[in-house]
Amino acid sequence: MAFAGNDLNDFMEGVKKRSPGETEFHQAVQEVAATILPYIEDKPEYKTNMILERMTEPDRVISFRVTWQDDDGNVRVNRGHRVQFNNSIGPYKGGIRFHPSVTLSVLKFLGFEQTFKNSLTQLPMGGGKGGADFNPKGKSDAEIMRFCQAFMTELSKYIGPDIDVPAGDIGVGGREIGFMFGQYKRMTNRFNGVLTGKGREFGGSLMRPEATGYGAVYMLEDMLHTRGLEIDGHKAVISGSGNVATHAAEKIIHRGGTVLTLSDSGGFIYDKDGITLERLQWIKDLKEKRRGRISEYADEFKGTEFHEGRPWNVACDMALPCATQNEINADEAEALVKNGCIAVSEGANMPTTIDGINKYQAAKILYGPSKAANAGGVATSGLEMSQNAAHISWKEEELSKLLRDIMSNIHAACEEYGKESDGYIDYMKGANIAGFRKVADAMLAFGAV
Ligand code: NDP
């Protein structure tokens, strides 16, 4: 695979030829290549060593059958994958997703993004991602356990604390990590830091559940500060009602902001007075304990509303997409801008389409892309790995401070590489270049491998 030049179209043609039909992966690569190709234009060492071409090809992709039995005794079959994308700066690290929409394209986009994100944290972690097209909705605890055990039975052959350290993602939270860690331990007779996001009793880190959502709000806060603004007194629209969304909402409220919406795949709730911390706790219980739907909020609390669809037409100052990829299209991005939104911080991975990002940037609003804005989660996973390796556990205050510092450093790196002549900060460009440099330099040191 040789590329004639550093023209974006030529480059993308090569990627598409090698990975046909993988549209999410193409989108993620295009977002990065659009800023990296101009950056390496006058840097022959990266070009002659084909660094970007090598970075867009995963080290390896592992796919396997996951066979399990449902509660009625039926044999069920799903497909599991682990994409070990790049381990140039540390063991592969990235979450596991259980959702019917999981395909190799989705996991390759996530693993590719993860490589840049992990580099941005400045911690020694490579990029990877895994998952299965399994739908956890409506499954009993026993079915979830049997699926997690079957999944880990295969996955355990390819992971380890110095090899590949998975974590949670959509559909994989504390319960699933517990089942998978239990199966890993049973199969290998090893108790180690092979997974992060573990329960506190068996090596999990304080602050890990909060880290992604809190981190996205810290990024938002740092972006607002560049314009002399605070979260206090401003209105936020948030999508999702899982781990990332609820913790982002919590930190917005801590900072004096108002959270107008949360959502799930059925629609969104609108609380014009702002979701309170008490109501947020009710949502966490609904989602984690009762496994209910967000629409129940409007039945429970008078004066609030449930609407089908996505929340991006609700007028707000700040938007935090925290559900899934491509959940904001160009029209929705335009609606956000038109209705007065001044900042977008992405808790979910690649939640805005390329056309949508163009709308933010044309309007020069503050835009924190996912690989920077949601890096707090994996950063705290990195801190969990350090604690496990040293057989210690750090206090909440230490971890909170480390997370805040890491997010500030990420913001500063984006500013350093993304500031334009008119003062506008292109955080996407900044994050891509800052993330690229460390991985690329490590790859140069290794020679042609
Ligand atoms: P959860 O499973 O805890 O929550 C996901 C939420 O998003 C649910 O409310 C879910 O609704 C909603 N959602 C999922 N898929 C869709 C869809 N196709 N359309 C509409 N809504 C959807 O996941 P997380 O909170 O952990 O992850 C959310 C996002 O954040 C993902 O993009 C993930 O990759 C990213 N992320 C997560 C990190 C973490 O630490 N957990 C770290 C970095 C990024 P429903 O229940 O109806 O499916």
Side-chain angles (χ1 to χ4, degrees), residues 84-101:
Q84 296 184 331
F85 219 103
N86 189 308
N87 68 350
S88 298
I89 60 169
Y92 304 106
K93 181 91 198 84
I96 292 176
R97 178 177 290 192
F98 292 161
H99 195 273
S101 65

Side-chain angles (χ1 to χ4, degrees), residues 97 99 101 110 114 117 129 137 168-173 208-209 211-213 239-246 263-266 287 292-293 310 321-325 327 347-351 374-375 377-378:
R97 178 177 290 192
H99 195 273
S101 65
L110 289 163
Q114 195 82 47
K117 182 188 312 192
K129 200 82 187 188
K137 278 202 199 91
D169 191 76
I170 293 177
V172 178
R208 178 61 189 90
T212 309
S239 64
S241 48
N243 173 275
V244 180
T246 53
S263 75
D264 64 18
S265 51
K287 286 288 171 178
R293 309 304 300 156
R310 303 194 285 221
C322 296
T324 194
Q325 65 272 7
E327 54 169 316
N349 281 308
M350 205 170 75
N374 72 25
V378 73

Side-chain angles (χ1 to χ4, degrees), residues 75-247:
V75 175
R76 309 277 288 261
V77 182
N78 288 90
R79 185 173 293 166
H81 308 275
R82 185 72 183 165
V83 179
Q84 296 184 331
F85 219 103
N86 189 308
N87 68 350
S88 298
I89 60 169
Y92 304 106
K93 181 91 198 84
I96 292 176
R97 178 177 290 192
F98 292 161
H99 195 273
S101 65
V102 164
T103 61
L104 207 46
S105 169
V106 168
L107 297 180
K108 280 176 70 178
F109 115 63
L110 289 163
F112 177 73
E113 286 278 296
Q114 195 82 47
T115 304
F116 289 79
K117 182 188 312 192
N118 294 2
S119 168
L120 271 176
T121 67
Q122 295 296 329
L123 297 173
M125 300 181 290
K129 200 82 187 188
D133 58 351
F134 168 73
N135 187 358
K137 278 202 199 91
K139 302 288 189 299
S140 69
D141 277 357
E143 288 174 324
I144 298 284
M145 181 182 75
R146 287 195 292 275
F147 182 82
C148 288
Q149 291 177 341
F151 184 84
M152 181 51 88
T153 300
E154 266 310 305
L155 186 69
S156 63
K157 299 169 189 168
Y158 310 105
I159 60 175
D162 299 320
I163 305 168
D164 184 350
V165 184
D169 191 76
I170 293 177
V172 178
R175 174 181 61 165
E176 291 75 16
I177 293 286
F179 290 147
M180 286 194 272
F181 187 74
Q183 181 72 352
Y184 174 85
K185 190 171 69 59
R186 172 160 78 171
M187 293 185 63
T188 63
N189 196 25
R190 288 194 164 85
F191 189 110
N192 58 34
V194 69
L195 294 171
T196 59
K198 299 185 290 299
R200 286 284 298 137
E201 308 76 18
F202 50 97
S205 175
L206 283 170
M207 292 306 295
R208 178 61 189 90
E210 295 86 353
T212 309
Y214 280 19
V217 175
Y218 296 149
M219 182 74 185
L220 175 71
E221 185 168 61
D222 286 344
M223 293 195 301
L224 288 171
H225 285 170
T226 65
R227 298 196 180 171
L229 299 167
E230 295 290 346
I231 291 169
D232 191 13
H234 288 105
K235 292 190 165 85
V237 163
I238 303 180
S239 64
S241 48
N243 173 275
V244 180
T246 53
H247 289 105

Side-chain angles (χ1 to χ4, degrees), residues 382-413:
L383 302 177
E384 182 170 325
M385 287 166 71
S386 303
Q387 293 170 82
N388 291 166
H391 302 284
I392 53 172
S393 48
W394 293 333
K395 295 195 175 69
E396 185 175 326
E397 307 85 76
E398 295 172 79
L399 287 155
S400 294
K401 186 177 178 321
L402 284 168
L403 173 63
R404 189 67 193 89
D405 289 349
I406 288 169
M407 294 312 298
S408 289
N409 292 338
I410 290 174
H411 181 272

